[in-house]
Amino acid sequence: MTGNSDEPFITAVKPLVDAMGGEMLPPDEAGPDDVVLAWDGVDVVAVRLPQLADSLDHILAAMERKQGRPLADLDRKAKQEVVRILEARGAFSVRHGVETVAGALGVSRFTVYNYLNREKEN
């Protein structure tokens, strides 16, 4: 990445960038939408954030890893909890968010909407 991959700052922020689905690159390759991180007044690394739709796929994959099995294999209560977490993270503001989540959970869009409405009633 920057040629000095043992840079402590880069090592410290890498888990966060990976969790967000971002990409680290040299600061001089940063585009206008990238975030340049500085340490002690020196630009150290640029972070390219993923598009929202890519973020949703990344979040779903992380949730699946955390569960240790496909989200479609979860029981109804666990799927409802996944929908609640995803709603809190803004997953349904992404275009085709409901369809993407429904596919990952192995349920219909109607079921996802029911889970969302159930949350609003409580």
Side-chain angles (χ1 to χ4, degrees):
M1 214 270 346
T2 63
N4 189 4
S5 61
D6 62 345
E7 168 72 48
F9 182 77
I10 292 172
T11 302
V13 299
K14 185 173 182 348
L16 176 61
V17 173
D18 289 347
M20 295 182 326
E23 175 187 355
M24 297 186 350
L25 34 122
D28 60 346
E29 293 180 19
D33 294 330
D34 297 333
V35 179
V36 177
L37 303 177
W39 185 256
D40 287 336
V42 177
D43 291 345
V44 177
V45 64
V47 177
R48 182 161 294 153
L49 300 172
Q51 298 300 312
L52 280 176
D54 295 337
S55 293
L56 179 54
D57 290 337
H58 194 78
I59 290 167
L60 288 166
M63 292 181 90
E64 203 163 79
R65 281 192 304 276
K66 186 175 180 180
Q67 293 290 332
R69 58 187 166 155
L71 296 177
D73 292 349
L74 299 176
D75 63 25
R76 183 174 53 84
K77 185 173 179 168
K79 288 178 182 181
Q80 289 171 336
E81 177 66 11
V82 166
V83 168
R84 187 192 63 73
I85 291 167
L86 291 171
E87 182 179 29
R89 294 183 76 176
F92 301 109
S93 64
V94 176
R95 187 166 191 230
H96 303 298
V98 170
E99 292 88 346
T100 301
V101 171
L105 293 176
V107 299
S108 68
R109 290 180 327 172
F110 180 76
T111 298
V112 172
Y113 284 118
N114 280 339
Y115 292 169
L116 288 168
N117 289 333
R118 174 179 291 236
E119 279 300 312
K120 288 177 179 44
E121 292 170 3
N122 293 331

